[in-house]
Amino acid sequence: MTYKHAIIAFALIMASGIGFYKAVKLGAYPVAFVDFNLITEKSVRKDFAAAYRYFQNALLVSGSDPRALETLEARREIRRATLDKLIADRLIYGELEARLKDDFKAIADKNIEQYIQNNQNISEGAEKIYGLSLADFKDQVLLPQAYKEILEGRMFLNKENFDEWLKNKKSGAGVIILSPDLQWDGNSVKLR
């Protein structure tokens, strides 16, 4: 190997190392796979932060001490529930794609825009309750809820039970969790 090749190899190794470090720092790595669709650490972190803020506010409103959420057990449980919800959201999205192709996206966007127009204080509420901007609130909360409602409506028209479908879909889904503190038991995410 010549000196020039050694320098190039060293530069490639360094660039790869820096890129890997940045990816880990930003959470751009998979935490779970759901039927070959990945859920990244970044999306888990974002939804965890919103859920954590929501529960803090709920405890404040109820007169309880929000510091109860600062325990390791509480944080682990919120993370577990967050990943479980993200898995359910992926299964719902996949079913809508199979049933309606891309038609459901326009329906969801229209419903969300109507909802935002009818609720003038939604931006302020999203910030105060979840700590999210309106755009993030739309992506993390409103879109998954709209998709769920669309699927529930289609299933209702076909005389199908959404809860039974979701239970069966979860038990038959190919879920692989890569996080060392969580595991998939065939129906839901559990703590290890």
Side-chain angles (χ1 to χ4, degrees):
M1 181 181 286
T2 66
Y3 180 74
K4 182 179 179 181
H5 289 118
I7 294 294
I8 291 171
F10 178 74
L12 287 173
I13 291 169
M14 291 301 294
S16 297
I18 291 169
F20 182 74
Y21 170 77
K22 292 263 187 196
V24 169
K25 187 175 180 181
L26 295 174
Y29 57 91
V31 170
F33 290 95
V34 182
D35 294 334
F36 302 107
N37 296 304
L38 74 107
I39 296 174
T40 63
E41 176 64 23
K42 183 178 181 179
S43 62
V44 173
R45 285 180 192 170
K46 285 171 55 176
D47 281 16
F48 172 88
Y52 187 83
R53 174 85 177 259
Y54 172 83
F55 287 124
Q56 276 183 322
N57 288 325
L59 288 172
L60 281 171
V61 168
S62 71
S64 301
D65 186 4
R67 289 182 294 183
L69 293 176
E70 293 176 11
T71 66
L72 180 61
E73 292 170 7
R75 287 178 170 274
R76 288 183 68 206
E77 178 56 28
I78 294 170
R79 182 174 165 80
R80 183 209 62 77
T82 298
L83 183 57
D84 198 56
K85 184 187 178 313
L86 286 170
I87 289 170
D89 290 347
R90 292 294 162 112
L91 294 172
I92 290 167
Y93 186 85
E95 186 68 16
L96 281 171
E97 277 188 320
R99 289 180 183 222
L100 303 175
K101 306 299 179 229
D102 282 335
D103 296 342
F104 69 95
K105 293 176 184 176
I107 296 167
D109 286 338
K110 181 181 174 190
N111 291 347
I112 289 169
E113 291 309 316
Q114 277 184 315
Y115 181 77
I116 290 171
Q117 287 176 355
N118 294 336
N119 295 286
Q120 299 299 321
N121 297 332
I122 193 166
S123 182
E124 182 182 342
E127 175 62 38
K128 286 183 179 179
I129 296 171
Y130 293 95
L132 297 172
S133 67
L134 183 58
D136 288 339
F137 183 70
K138 181 181 173 184
D139 289 341
Q140 290 175 240
V141 178
L142 296 179
L143 265 176
Q145 183 62 33
Y147 293 158
K148 180 182 177 193
E149 289 173 5
I150 291 168
L151 184 57
E152 283 178 324
R154 297 297 169 145
M155 289 182 151
F156 178 78
L157 292 174
N158 293 332
K159 296 182 176 34
E160 298 174 76
N161 184 313
F162 174 80
D163 293 327
E164 276 297 312
W165 170 84
L166 186 58
K167 180 181 172 187
N168 292 335
K169 191 71 173 177
K170 279 184 165 184
S171 66
V175 177
I176 300 169
I177 296 180
L178 304 174
S179 180
D181 58 333
L182 301 170
Q183 64 184 6
W184 182 253
D185 75 351
N187 294 310
S188 63
V189 178
K190 299 289 183 198
L191 295 169
R192 285 189 185 190

